[in-house]
Amino acid sequence: MSDIDAILSHVDNNHGPSVDGFVRLLEFASVSSQEDGRQGIADCAAWLKSELDGIGFETRIIPTAGHPLVLAKTAYVGALPRVLLYGHYDVQPAEPFEDWTSRPFTPDIRREDGLDRIYARGASDSKGQVWSVIEALRAWKAVEGSFPFDVTVLLEGEEETGSPSLPKFIEDHRQDLACDVAFISDSDMWSRTRPAITTRLKGLVHEKVTVIAPNGDLHSGHYGNVAANPVRVLAKLLAAIHDDEGRVLIEGFYEGAGDLPQSLRDQWEALSVEEAAAGVDLRGYYGKVGEVEAMWGHPGVDFNGIVGGNTGPGERSVLPASAYARLSFRLVGSQKPDKVRMAFRNFVQARIPKGCRVEFEGEGGSTPVSIDETSPFIAATVRALDAEWPEPTLFKGTGGAIPLVGFFTDLLAVDCVVTGFIQSDDAIHAPDERYDLERLRKGTRSWVRILAELDLHFGTSAETRVS
Amino acid sequence: MSDIDAILSHVDNNHGPSVDGFVRLLEFASVSSQEDGRQGIADCAAWLKSELDGIGFETRIIPTAGHPLVLAKTAYVGALPRVLLYGHYDVQPAEPFEDWTSRPFTPDIRREDGLDRIYARGASDSKGQVWSVIEALRAWKAVEGSFPFDVTVLLEGEEETGSPSLPKFIEDHRQDLACDVAFISDSDMWSRTRPAITTRLKGLVHEKVTVIAPNGDLHSGHYGNVAANPVRVLAKLLAAIHDDEGRVLIEGFYEGAGDLPQSLRDQWEALSVEEAAAGVDLRGYYGKVGEVEAMWGHPGVDFNGIVGGNTGPGERSVLPASAYARLSFRLVGSQKPDKVRMAFRNFVQARIPKGCRVEFEGEGGSTPVSIDETSPFIAATVRALDAEWPEPTLFKGTGGAIPLVGFFTDLLAVDCVVTGFIQSDDAIHAPDERYDLERLRKGTRSWVRILAELDLHFGTSAETRVS
């Protein structure tokens, strides 16, 4: 049996060095969606390998068509359960830099509101999550000398671009990844005091739509009342997507969205959406507000960007030749990315005036995932989290797509447990992204407790104890 | 009496040197709306001064709070009518450069469709117009040795930014500008064979509107179904401005727009809007198409630019913190810029959801101008143009604001004649702006004929001849 109290004490006593390592991890500009993030990705992967090797893993950096994965395995133990721990070390772009208080890849620790906050791109999403896992393993190894079962750590460098290389990697490395349970460390708590396991994950489709006039740029004074204006066409198009209550009017969009289990709806009904989106001002939303279910369980369409015509600082009398918007679709239930994309394209085509053209850009996407809340691995995780945090663990949903959960579910046919310690006011994907060092410590302790629960209730040595 | 045939022959015989001078004029990057256009403006003004001095004018470069004006006057003659000739030497920005076939400030002459076309920013709007005036004066002086009446040439460097310094300049230089008729050389022909005098000029109001969410950038997956999206708010707002027939729904917008004289409506009714917008594909317009009256005589609202959220090359799941649009309003009749601006701002304020903020940027604007089609100076110009071109002169309207016409009308209380030789396929304000050398020549000849008509019918020496 592992000495859980000794391991937890080790975590607490080594908080300083743990923070130092975290700062180092945050200094890598591992932006996966930008060409000049390539070096930061490579350096970050190499550094993570050295850290994992240092703990005693056999670690490989595995190249892909995109960015490499870091795959670390314990020396073969042969005991059950086989555990896979997943995280991602790539980050979102940090632009616009001028909106950051400190530089995004120069971590800055500030004492605020009784917390030691660390500001950096990736602090919360997801390097803070990755680092808690690594530090838990380090503490376990330091105290126990070895792991009681086979542990595989998989760190991805393409999560923020939708994990394009992961499916092929999983197929090529089924043997390496074979496991009884996969933990995905990249999700939110309910609150600073209440942990959560995410069991409902929305699917995601990105799409760019460009409206093109039959002419080049025109003088808007001369042709304003008679020639097509792509900005006007695009605005009309986007405005037609939602009704006044926020319901999506794209024909066929809701096909397969289905309904949630009543037990989950009841649990969510009791929650406050203001708390679910703590730190976010929800005023100004077009549509029905006040439903956690809408946030976690309903599909939707978002406009992520729009560009057309004069984008410069001065006035310019132009009818632009084209204008485009970037949209994303969040799916639930059994909605299919390809069907949703086609429904949108048909919706647009039916509304483009003759003479204008439309171009679409986008492919693939991720399917929604629902995880059975009654799985025994979920129950073990609930026990571990309940022991660490003041309030009982909540099952939640998320609109932030984690496509890899779908890949693990579909390709490895394994139980997934999605948990993590992100807060809604961590400003992930935004300027001034942050985390706090107390959550780093308690996150690390949580992973120690989860490993101990697995050892206690599923480990080979525990076989006589479980029914 | 002037020897008009000799002067016209001189124009024809000196076409080569005239083209050389035109090329030199087009090389100045005299972009008035950009800070780095300042040097091009200064160099262009200095060069124009030297050209006008060379013809025998007394020329001054007159600084303003913005860009300088070039003011050239003949040595005092004292004979009537006193004639003011106006043009502008500043140009629109040339961005995006990559959309030009040749470089915008390296004029390129190409033989196309039986024409020698010259490609450069400002070729048509308005350096081609300015150069025809200067070359007509040069030819007149070369043949006749002097002008029969006082001629003032005024070349502005801020037309493309709405002539902000012109009102003060006019007030400060009433004596210098005193005249009986002002010719504005900056407008369109009806067709390559039919000249036109523009008597209906729309007013112009520019406005920038920014919608600001109560939060910074948010993760659209997490908050998409519950938090405000400024792109969505802005799209709804813009889509609400026009009805399905293109009519503007802003309360109070049409106040003062009035009706056109029936004679003008009848003249315009006989015209084809496809010909009025020759070279422009009118398909794709939301609203009623097929009316020259809508193009020349109706007010309107245009969307010149829109920007929000992710404007980069990659996908990004963001609910943007803000989004903005640039709009322009074209006015007719007695519509007032300030009232239209306020009507728009009220329209927006009434539609912004609680929690979102809106910011407006924009001031001033130009009032619409209507010129009496029965003025004797208009009649003289019609005779001159009818003599030069194959088809009879048309009265037309324009949505391209020329605020200075309003300034001359209001501040100098003088008859204005607005004519010029721009074609609708000259791509003004757009990449690959162009002019053709035959229009440069016939434009120059037209100005010679106009000066001759003025001499013949209004000149002091002609006093006994006119009733």
Side-chain angles (χ1 to χ4, degrees):
Chain A
M1 277 305 305
S2 51
D3 184 348
I4 171 115
D5 291 333
I7 307 174
L8 294 175
S9 292
H10 186 91
V11 169
D12 294 342
N13 295 336
N14 287 274
H15 186 52
S18 175
V19 170
D20 294 343
F22 187 39
V23 167
R24 181 71 195 95
L25 177 59
L26 292 171
E27 288 172 345
F28 297 103
S30 49
V31 180
S32 52
S33 67
Q34 293 176 342
E35 190 51 37
D36 58 6
R38 196 164 288 278
Q39 189 62 46
I41 287 273
D43 293 345
C44 192
W47 186 81
L48 286 165
K49 175 185 187 313
S50 71
E51 290 296 307
L52 287 160
D53 283 344
I55 300 172
F57 284 87
E58 290 174 6
T59 312
R60 285 177 287 161
I61 293 176
I62 300 179
T64 69
H67 298 299
L69 291 116
V70 179
L71 180 67
K73 296 181 73 70
T74 45
Y76 181 66
V77 177
L80 295 179
R82 297 163 302 171
V83 175
L84 177 67
L85 299 165
Y86 165 94
H88 70 89
Y89 66 93
D90 65 321
V91 298
Q92 282 275 320
E95 284 86 350
F97 294 121
E98 62 271 22
D99 289 357
W100 286 75
T101 307
S102 52
R103 291 163 63 196
F105 298 107
T106 306
D108 189 34
I109 300 174
R110 298 174 222 157
R111 186 76 189 169
E112 292 169 345
D113 306 329
L115 296 168
D116 291 310
R117 286 219 180 97
I118 184 160
Y119 285 79
R121 168 57 84 231
S124 172
D125 177 18
S126 193
K127 288 176 174 173
Q129 312 310 314
V130 165
W131 197 240
S132 280
V133 168
I134 292 176
E135 290 297 273
L137 293 167
R138 194 196 305 276
W140 189 289
K141 186 73 184 312
V143 174
E144 297 287 323
S146 67
F147 298 104
F149 38 66
D150 290 322
V151 177
T152 302
V153 178
L154 179 63
L155 305 179
E156 193 195 3
E158 295 186 322
E159 197 275 343
E160 297 293 359
T161 57
S163 303
S165 306
L166 196 64
K168 180 172 188 310
F169 171 83
I170 293 176
E171 284 181 18
D172 291 350
H173 295 79
R174 281 178 190 282
Q175 199 63 34
D176 283 323
L177 301 175
C179 60
D180 301 297
V181 59
F183 287 88
I184 317 293
S185 173
D186 187 29
S187 64
D188 299 65
M189 302 181 70
W190 166 249
S191 70
R192 205 164 286 286
T193 48
R194 186 172 188 187
I197 300 169
T198 300
T199 59
R200 301 281 159 169
L201 298 102
K202 294 186 189 178
L204 174 60
V205 168
H206 275 289
E207 181 85 342
K208 179 179 174 183
V209 54
T210 305
V211 177
I212 302 156
N215 303 286
D217 283 4
L218 294 175
H219 188 302
S220 62
H222 291 172
Y223 306 110
N225 275 0
V226 290
N229 183 340
V231 173
R232 189 158 145 199
V233 173
L234 189 61
K236 257 181 108 80
L237 204 60
L238 297 185
I241 288 177
H242 299 91
D243 72 9
D244 287 344
E245 301 223 308
R247 210 180 145 77
V248 177
L249 301 175
I250 296 168
E251 298 82 358
F253 174 74
Y254 286 103
E255 206 172 293
D259 292 318
L260 294 165
Q262 191 58 44
S263 60
L264 208 55
R265 296 186 64 181
D266 291 345
Q267 197 180 5
W268 291 356
E269 184 78 30
L271 303 174
S272 137
V273 71
E274 282 74 22
E275 200 174 347
V280 173
D281 187 335
L282 298 182
R283 292 175 308 148
Y285 182 72
Y286 273 128
K288 284 164 88 174
V289 188
E291 290 183 15
V292 171
E293 189 179 323
M295 187 170 164
W296 288 349
H298 292 177
V301 183
D302 299 303
F303 309 147
N304 305 122
I306 189 165
V307 180
N310 175 21
T311 60
E315 294 166 346
R316 194 162 163 223
S317 294
V318 65
L319 290 184
S322 68
Y324 72 81
R326 289 185 178 277
L327 297 88
S328 51
F329 302 81
R330 300 285 166 173
L331 317 186
V332 304
S334 62
Q335 283 181 296
K336 297 273 175 288
D338 286 350
K339 286 189 90 167
V340 165
R341 192 186 300 285
M342 282 319 300
F344 170 68
R345 291 185 178 184
N346 290 337
F347 176 87
V348 172
Q349 291 287 12
R351 282 161 183 81
I352 291 291
K354 260 184 204 161
C356 287
R357 279 191 308 120
V358 65
E359 284 179 3
F360 299 100
E361 201 182 305
E363 53 177 357
S366 62
T367 47
V369 176
S370 307
I371 294 164
D372 180 4
E373 286 90 2
T374 63
S375 133
F377 288 112
I378 295 274
T381 308
V382 167
R383 286 193 299 274
L385 294 173
D386 284 356
E388 178 62 27
W389 300 87
E391 291 184 84
T393 302
L394 177 77
F395 295 130
K396 64 188 292 291
T398 180
I402 321 183
L404 60 108
V405 181
F407 302 152
F408 286 123
T409 310
D410 295 349
L411 299 175
L412 288 184
V414 72
D415 279 355
C416 280
V417 181
V418 181
T419 191
F421 309 98
I422 299 172
Q423 294 284 337
S424 60
D425 63 350
D426 284 344
I428 71 169
H429 291 214
D432 276 350
E433 179 176 350
R434 50 196 173 255
Y435 203 51
D436 59 78
L437 300 182
E438 180 63 4
R439 264 186 293 152
L440 185 71
R441 188 180 69 87
K442 285 181 76 69
T444 303
R445 289 170 55 98
S446 298
W447 285 109
V448 168
R449 290 187 187 276
I450 289 168
L451 294 175
E453 276 290 335
L454 295 177
D455 182 29
L456 187 63
H457 293 275
F458 301 94
T460 306
S461 59
E463 263 179 346
T464 54
R465 275 173 281 142
V466 293
S467 63
Chain B
M1 277 304 305
S2 51
D3 184 348
I4 172 117
D5 292 334
I7 307 173
L8 294 175
S9 293
H10 185 90
V11 169
D12 294 342
N13 295 336
N14 287 275
H15 186 52
S18 175
V19 170
D20 294 343
F22 187 39
V23 166
R24 181 71 196 94
L25 176 58
L26 292 171
E27 288 172 346
F28 297 103
S30 49
V31 180
S32 52
S33 67
Q34 293 176 341
E35 190 50 37
D36 60 6
R38 197 165 287 277
Q39 190 61 45
I41 287 272
D43 292 346
C44 191
W47 186 81
L48 286 166
K49 175 186 186 313
S50 71
E51 289 296 305
L52 287 160
D53 283 343
I55 299 172
F57 284 88
E58 290 175 6
T59 312
R60 286 177 286 161
I61 294 175
I62 300 179
T64 70
H67 298 300
L69 291 117
V70 179
L71 180 66
K73 297 181 71 71
T74 45
Y76 182 64
V77 178
L80 295 180
R82 296 163 302 172
V83 174
L84 177 68
L85 298 165
Y86 165 94
H88 71 88
Y89 66 92
D90 65 322
V91 299
Q92 283 274 320
E95 285 85 351
F97 293 122
E98 62 271 23
D99 288 357
W100 286 74
T101 307
S102 52
R103 292 163 64 195
F105 298 107
T106 306
D108 189 35
I109 299 174
R110 298 174 222 157
R111 186 76 190 171
E112 292 171 343
D113 305 330
L115 295 169
D116 291 310
R117 286 218 181 98
I118 184 160
Y119 285 80
R121 169 57 84 228
S124 173
D125 179 17
S126 195
K127 287 176 174 173
Q129 312 310 314
V130 164
W131 197 239
S132 280
V133 168
I134 291 176
E135 290 296 273
L137 294 168
R138 194 196 304 277
W140 188 290
K141 186 74 186 312
V143 173
E144 297 286 321
S146 69
F147 298 105
F149 38 65
D150 289 324
V151 177
T152 302
V153 178
L154 179 64
L155 304 179
E156 193 195 3
E158 295 186 321
E159 197 275 342
E160 297 293 0
T161 58
S163 303
S165 306
L166 197 64
K168 180 171 187 312
F169 171 83
I170 292 175
E171 283 180 17
D172 292 349
H173 295 79
R174 281 179 191 282
Q175 198 64 35
D176 282 323
L177 301 175
C179 61
D180 300 299
V181 59
F183 286 88
I184 318 294
S185 173
D186 187 30
S187 64
D188 299 67
M189 301 181 72
W190 165 250
S191 70
R192 206 164 284 285
T193 47
R194 187 172 187 186
I197 299 170
T198 299
T199 59
R200 302 280 158 169
L201 298 104
K202 294 185 188 176
L204 173 61
V205 168
H206 275 289
E207 182 84 343
K208 179 179 174 184
V209 55
T210 305
V211 176
I212 303 156
N215 303 287
D217 282 4
L218 295 176
H219 189 301
S220 62
H222 291 172
Y223 307 110
N225 275 0
V226 290
N229 183 340
V231 173
R232 187 158 147 201
V233 174
L234 190 60
K236 257 180 107 81
L237 205 61
L238 298 185
I241 289 177
H242 299 91
D243 71 10
D244 287 343
E245 301 224 305
R247 210 178 144 78
V248 177
L249 301 174
I250 296 168
E251 298 82 357
F253 174 75
Y254 286 104
E255 204 172 294
D259 291 317
L260 293 166
Q262 192 57 45
S263 59
L264 208 55
R265 297 186 65 181
D266 291 345
Q267 198 181 3
W268 291 356
E269 184 78 29
L271 302 174
S272 137
V273 71
E274 282 74 21
E275 199 174 349
V280 173
D281 187 333
L282 297 182
R283 291 174 309 147
Y285 182 71
Y286 272 130
K288 285 165 85 173
V289 188
E291 290 183 15
V292 170
E293 189 179 322
M295 187 171 164
W296 288 351
H298 293 177
V301 183
D302 300 302
F303 309 147
N304 305 122
I306 189 164
V307 180
N310 175 20
T311 59
E315 293 166 348
R316 194 164 163 221
S317 295
V318 64
L319 290 183
S322 68
Y324 73 79
R326 289 186 178 277
L327 297 88
S328 51
F329 302 82
R330 300 285 166 172
L331 317 185
V332 304
S334 62
Q335 282 180 296
K336 299 271 175 289
D338 286 350
K339 286 189 88 166
V340 165
R341 191 186 302 283
M342 283 318 300
F344 170 67
R345 292 186 178 183
N346 290 337
F347 176 87
V348 172
Q349 292 285 13
R351 281 161 184 81
I352 291 292
K354 260 184 205 163
C356 287
R357 280 191 308 119
V358 65
E359 284 179 3
F360 299 100
E361 201 182 304
E363 53 176 357
S366 62
T367 48
V369 177
S370 307
I371 294 164
D372 179 5
E373 286 91 1
T374 62
S375 133
F377 288 112
I378 295 275
T381 308
V382 168
R383 286 193 300 273
L385 294 173
D386 284 357
E388 177 63 27
W389 299 87
E391 290 185 84
T393 302
L394 177 77
F395 294 130
K396 67 189 288 293
T398 180
I402 321 183
L404 61 109
V405 180
F407 301 152
F408 285 124
T409 309
D410 296 349
L411 300 175
L412 287 184
V414 70
D415 280 355
C416 279
V417 181
V418 181
T419 191
F421 308 98
I422 300 171
Q423 293 282 336
S424 60
D425 62 350
D426 284 345
I428 71 171
H429 291 214
D432 276 350
E433 180 177 350
R434 50 196 172 255
Y435 203 51
D436 60 77
L437 301 181
E438 180 63 2
R439 265 186 292 154
L440 185 72
R441 188 182 69 87
K442 286 183 75 68
T444 304
R445 288 169 55 98
S446 297
W447 286 109
V448 168
R449 289 187 189 274
I450 290 168
L451 294 175
E453 276 289 336
L454 296 177
D455 181 28
L456 187 63
H457 292 276
F458 301 94
T460 306
S461 60
E463 264 180 343
T464 53
R465 276 175 280 141
V466 292
S467 64

